[in-house]
Amino acid sequence: MKYKYYIILLMVLLTTGASAQRGKNMKAAVPDTAQVVKSYQDSLRVLRQRLDSVQRINEALRTESDDGRYYRLFAPATFYHSGANKVLSLTPQTGDDVTDAVDATLLSLYMRRPDLISAYESQLKEAGSIRYDVNKKLNQHVDIVEKAAPVPEEVGIDTPIAVEIKKPNWWKFIFDGSLQFMQNYVSDNWYKGGESNYSAIGALTLELNYNDKDRVLFENKLETKLGFQTSRSDTVHKFKTNNDLLRLTSKLGLQAHKRWYYTLQLLAYTQFAQGYKANDPFVYSDFMSPFKLNVGIGMEYKVEAMNKRLTGSLNFLPLSFNYIYVGREALVTRNGISEGHHSKEDFASQFTADLQWKISDQVLWKSRLYANTSYNRSLVEWENQFELKVSKYISATLFLYPRFDDSNVYDDDLGYFQFQEYSSLGLAYKF
């Protein structure tokens, strides 16, 4: 049917041309019929060749539309290195005809419209690898099975579902206990007495903490230590205490900003038994002699650094109330209390740093720095405990404890400074 229309169009053109020719030259001869037929056949042959050419181009476009080598022409304008390398390189590497043609087209675009370039090939490689297998034919593999697995039934909306809601437990309990043997060194002017020796010590720490993960923080720690020693040089005492501590620390915090808390802290401590020196019947310390109580208000900062290997708290209490009580009359003046009295109160400023650094999986450093001053007297204690985990239940401990207290009796050698050290090896358990 298409050829029919072309024939009619051709006949109209030939007729129009012939009429015009007769108008110009009436003397022209009438064309020969054979010549007209031959011209008509030649026109059909040319038209057929054109139609065949168009058909081949269409088939080529349809075939090449699935060819991944053309993707760079239709993707967002990107600068690819291959086109420039073929022009500038001394030994260019050419590919197939299609790839070379695409590179030439893109290079022309780079030269004429560089403002259209929005990305570079290096950026594409950083974002993800470029696929070079786009020409690879993909075959779909279909596995046919004899029987398909049943489709699981979905639970309907009306089907009852049991939901159990548990109230979170914000309380956390910590137990840490140890029983160790040690070598102990105590300075002659240590305020609780004692003697350098080989001895044993038991320690128990209990913690009960509340944290609602929102604003309220309530921490309670009870620390107890009791060690005994025996010495051949001491003919007065068969056993003496070399380490004696009973301390309670309670803190109530209200979150101010991130790791900062408004804090109210209570600190109370004394000891269990009487403290002696070698070959000396005098009691240098006892239960409730002294007993110290401190209540302060301020700010606390929660430390969390070094990938959570360094944790703890820094407590700044600019206003605190100190109370000290001494039950034994003979120990009153040794603890800064006026003679004839058993207690004393004053106001002071206080700072406490309680840190724990997990140096490695086997080594742990616990440090506590306590400083309290009423601007008439000063007390600084720095407890350092290094724990080496030998096994799950066996550990070694090195304890270093420098102390400064200008309310104590002045020593000719060390002044108001005191020092205690011991190292031990024994059992340890924590949960």
Side-chain angles (χ1 to χ4, degrees):
M1 296 298 294
K2 293 182 180 180
Y3 297 135
K4 181 179 180 181
Y5 294 109
Y6 286 115
I7 294 172
I8 295 173
L9 178 62
L10 182 59
M11 293 179 65
V12 172
L13 292 176
L14 293 175
T15 304
T16 304
S19 298
Q21 185 66 23
R22 285 195 299 270
K24 291 181 182 180
N25 189 7
M26 298 297 296
K27 296 181 180 181
V30 178
D32 186 16
T33 303
Q35 183 65 28
V36 172
V37 174
K38 184 177 182 303
S39 299
Y40 170 70
Q41 291 176 347
D42 293 340
S43 300
L44 290 178
R45 190 178 299 108
V46 172
L47 181 60
R48 176 61 183 271
Q49 291 177 353
R50 291 180 180 179
L51 292 176
D52 292 343
S53 177
V54 172
Q55 182 68 18
R56 286 194 300 271
I57 293 174
N58 290 335
E59 291 178 356
L61 290 176
R62 284 196 301 270
T63 303
E64 295 173 354
S65 62
D66 297 333
D67 194 341
R69 293 175 294 179
Y70 292 91
Y71 79 96
R72 294 183 294 171
L73 297 177
F74 305 99
T78 303
F79 179 79
Y80 295 95
H81 303 156
S82 57
N85 290 338
K86 291 177 180 179
V87 176
L88 302 177
S89 178
L90 297 178
T91 57
Q93 296 181 356
T94 59
D96 53 82
D97 296 339
V98 174
T99 303
D100 293 342
V102 172
D103 288 336
T105 303
L106 291 177
L107 185 59
S108 177
L109 173 66
Y110 302 155
M111 299 298 294
R112 297 175 182 272
R113 295 298 303 273
D115 56 301
L116 297 179
I117 308 304
S118 59
Y120 301 91
E121 184 177 355
S122 57
Q123 296 176 343
L124 297 180
K125 290 182 178 180
E126 292 179 359
S129 60
I130 300 177
R131 292 188 58 184
Y132 295 98
D133 58 342
V134 292
N135 295 325
K136 184 177 180 180
K137 185 177 180 181
L138 300 178
N139 297 322
Q140 184 177 6
H141 299 282
V142 180
D143 295 332
I144 302 176
V145 297
E146 295 181 358
K147 183 178 181 181
V151 180
E153 296 182 0
E154 296 183 358
V155 179
I157 300 178
D158 298 333
T159 303
I161 301 176
V163 178
E164 182 180 0
I165 301 176
K166 293 184 178 180
K167 184 178 180 180
N169 184 13
W170 305 122
W171 290 95
K172 183 178 181 181
F173 177 74
I174 300 176
F175 173 91
D176 189 358
S178 64
L179 176 61
Q180 297 180 327
F181 300 93
M182 64 182 179
Q183 171 268 329
N184 186 34
Y185 170 78
V186 180
S187 62
D188 293 337
N189 67 330
W190 185 250
Y191 75 111
K192 292 184 180 180
E195 180 186 10
S196 301
N197 58 88
Y198 292 94
S199 54
I201 182 174
L204 178 64
T205 301
L206 302 176
E207 293 186 47
L208 184 61
N209 302 324
Y210 175 87
N211 187 357
D212 64 356
K213 307 296 183 181
D214 184 19
R215 299 203 63 184
V216 180
L217 188 66
F218 184 39
E219 299 178 341
N220 302 274
K221 180 190 289 188
L222 177 63
E223 301 171 87
T224 62
K225 289 183 181 180
L226 185 59
F228 291 95
Q229 67 176 10
T230 178
S231 176
R232 296 180 180 179
S233 61
D234 189 358
T235 59
V236 178
H237 311 287
K238 185 176 182 181
F239 294 99
K240 299 189 301 294
T241 58
N242 60 352
N243 205 308
D244 197 349
L245 174 66
L246 177 59
R247 181 168 62 200
L248 173 65
T249 305
S250 295
K251 291 184 292 185
L252 177 61
L254 183 64
Q255 188 177 34
H257 178 68
K258 293 183 178 180
R259 299 181 183 178
W260 285 95
Y261 290 83
Y262 300 109
T263 303
L264 175 64
Q265 176 178 278
L266 181 144
L267 176 63
Y269 58 97
T270 182
Q271 63 187 66
F272 289 99
Q274 298 176 352
Y276 298 98
K277 289 186 178 181
N279 297 312
D280 189 352
F282 183 78
V283 178
Y284 287 86
S285 60
D286 198 358
F287 178 73
M288 300 298 289
S289 294
F291 168 76
K292 295 184 179 181
L293 175 68
N294 176 274
V295 179
I297 186 171
M299 297 287 292
E300 182 182 43
Y301 177 77
K302 290 296 183 182
V303 178
E304 188 175 292
M306 302 174 64
N307 198 20
K308 296 185 179 181
R309 301 182 75 90
L310 177 62
T311 58
S313 62
L314 303 177
N315 205 345
F316 305 88
L317 303 177
L319 179 60
S320 63
F321 171 76
N322 292 327
Y323 174 79
I324 181 172
Y325 172 81
V326 178
R328 282 182 171 269
E329 185 70 29
L331 302 179
V332 169
T333 57
R334 295 180 61 88
N335 289 273
I337 301 177
S338 301
E339 188 175 357
H341 297 78
H342 289 274
S343 63
K344 179 181 178 180
E345 306 87 14
D346 60 13
F347 290 91
S349 297
Q350 177 182 314
F351 170 76
T352 305
D354 196 347
L355 301 174
Q356 180 173 293
W357 180 19
K358 190 175 182 180
I359 302 175
S360 66
D361 294 339
Q362 290 77 30
V363 181
L364 178 66
W365 174 33
K366 297 180 180 179
S367 180
R368 177 184 180 272
L369 176 63
Y370 173 79
N372 187 296
T373 177
S374 63
Y375 305 102
N376 292 322
R377 62 166 185 80
S378 298
L379 172 63
V380 180
E381 298 177 335
W382 188 21
E383 303 177 27
N384 296 275
Q385 181 169 314
F386 297 87
E387 297 180 2
L388 174 61
K389 186 177 180 180
V390 180
S391 65
K392 184 177 180 180
Y393 299 110
I394 299 178
S395 65
T397 301
L398 173 63
F399 186 77
L400 305 175
Y401 186 7
R403 187 176 188 272
F404 177 88
D405 186 2
D406 58 7
S407 66
N408 207 343
V409 178
Y410 184 83
D411 184 78
D412 295 334
D413 295 330
L414 299 176
Y416 295 114
F417 286 95
Q418 305 169 20
F419 185 76
Q420 182 185 29
E421 174 271 334
Y422 68 80
S423 59
S424 59
L425 177 66
L427 301 176
Y429 184 71
K430 182 179 181 179
F431 69 86

